[in-house]
Amino acid sequence: MPYDLIIVGGGPGGVAAGVYAARKKIRTLLITDGFGGQSAISAGVENWIGTKSVAGYDLAKMLEGHLRAQKDIEIVDDDLVVSVAKKNAGDGAAPDGGFAVATKSGKTHEAKYLLLASGSSRKRLGVPGEREHEGRGVVYCSTCDAPLFGGKTVAVVGGGNSALESVMDLAPYASKIYLMVRSGVLRGDPVSQDKIRADRKVEIIRNAVVEEILGKDFVTGVRYRDAGTGEKKELPLDGVFVEIGLAPNSEFVKDLVARDERGDVKVDARTQETSCPGIWAAGDVTDFPYRQNNISAGDAIKAVLGIYDRLKRA
């Protein structure tokens, strides 16, 4: 028998949806390869409403605990959705067609409706030397690896909140931090900008386009271009922290729903419905411009309440 709803994702959006779906007694399956979303690797989350400050790891545990406390939901927490196919009515799937959701483990689950809360993944620079030095000076998680760069000279590539947070993670350890910003302006929160500008060990390099990561066994520097003058320069370094944003985890539904040029799933902001009837989406996987835990949770709840109403009318 198919589920009424399959939720894809274990971040704030997916968990919020799961809690509400369980309380509404919607027959639900939640599939995720881990809890907490992007915040799980944050040293401190200070804008989760109701909590002054919480470590990302602890927030992930809180979310998981809240979900597991619900009786009316099934959870698969060690698998990844790789494809979704729309079923035709009368072919043995849901009464109205529904969807077949295939996972990395080779299993297939069926449901009437689908809620995408699959979030996003960190982008890569895509330059020579990046993959060769991953784990050898090229880093994507400052929370995890900042202590390894005690007394070292490092660069953080990016200009948004994740880049500013990375600088702050490194500040207690690194002796010198270059913040390499591709554009001429920082895009992160003003409070975070003020903090890094006040730190004398931080130097901001604007209009810096990284073209190559240098090194042999380990990173020794970067080669970059000044976007304003065109001049090419080299910067000696011991490590490079890549913080250039996120890419939506939406490839598995690319043939079903409308997406924008970035791959963000287009939704009706009033209902969270996608272009494909029966599929809703919430959080960082959507084309909503603000990537925030509280927004993801609220939008996912909005979607579940709409799904509940749809089920009642069916």
Side-chain angles (χ1 to χ4, degrees), residues 120-171:
S120 54
S121 302
R122 295 179 183 274
K123 291 182 179 178
R124 296 176 180 272
L125 291 168
V127 300
E130 181 180 19
R131 288 197 178 275
E132 293 88 336
H133 293 97
E134 185 172 340
R136 298 182 176 184
V138 173
V139 181
Y140 300 91
C141 176
S142 59
T143 304
C144 311
D145 294 334
L148 300 177
F149 291 83
K152 304 291 186 180
T153 299
V154 300
V156 175
V157 183
N161 279 324
S162 59
L164 301 187
E165 289 174 7
S166 183
V167 170
M168 290 186 286
D169 286 342
L170 284 159

Side-chain angles (χ1 to χ4, degrees), residues 287-305:
D287 62 347
F288 193 75
Y290 306 116
R291 270 58 172 158
Q292 294 290 315
N293 287 337
N294 295 291
I295 292 174
S296 296
D299 285 351
I301 292 167
K302 183 200 312 180
V304 168
L305 295 177

Side-chain angles (χ1 to χ4, degrees), residues 167-207:
V167 170
M168 290 186 286
D169 286 342
L170 284 159
Y173 305 102
S175 59
K176 177 71 176 181
I177 305 168
Y178 294 98
L179 178 59
M180 305 184 73
V181 185
R182 188 182 183 96
S183 65
V185 297
L186 296 178
R187 294 173 284 103
D189 291 337
V191 171
S192 298
Q193 292 188 37
D194 290 344
K195 286 182 179 179
I196 68 166
R197 288 195 179 103
D199 192 330
R200 294 183 178 180
K201 70 171 66 174
V202 178
E203 181 178 337
I204 302 172
I205 305 177
R206 302 179 190 275
N207 301 310

Side-chain angles (χ1 to χ4, degrees), residues 52-74:
K52 291 182 180 179
S53 181
V54 58
Y57 175 83
D58 293 334
L59 176 60
K61 287 298 182 184
M62 289 165 56
L63 291 170
E64 181 181 0
H66 195 176
L67 182 67
R68 292 194 186 280
Q70 311 307 309
K71 296 179 180 179
D72 296 302
I73 189 168
E74 293 184 42

Side-chain angles (χ1 to χ4, degrees), residues 125 127 157 180-183 205-212 222-228 230-233:
L125 291 168
V127 300
V157 183
M180 305 184 73
V181 185
R182 188 182 183 96
S183 65
I205 305 177
R206 302 179 190 275
N207 301 310
V209 181
V210 176
E211 295 187 331
E212 185 178 0
V222 297
R223 182 175 292 119
Y224 71 98
R225 172 173 50 85
D226 186 312
E231 182 182 0
K232 296 196 176 186
K233 304 177 181 180

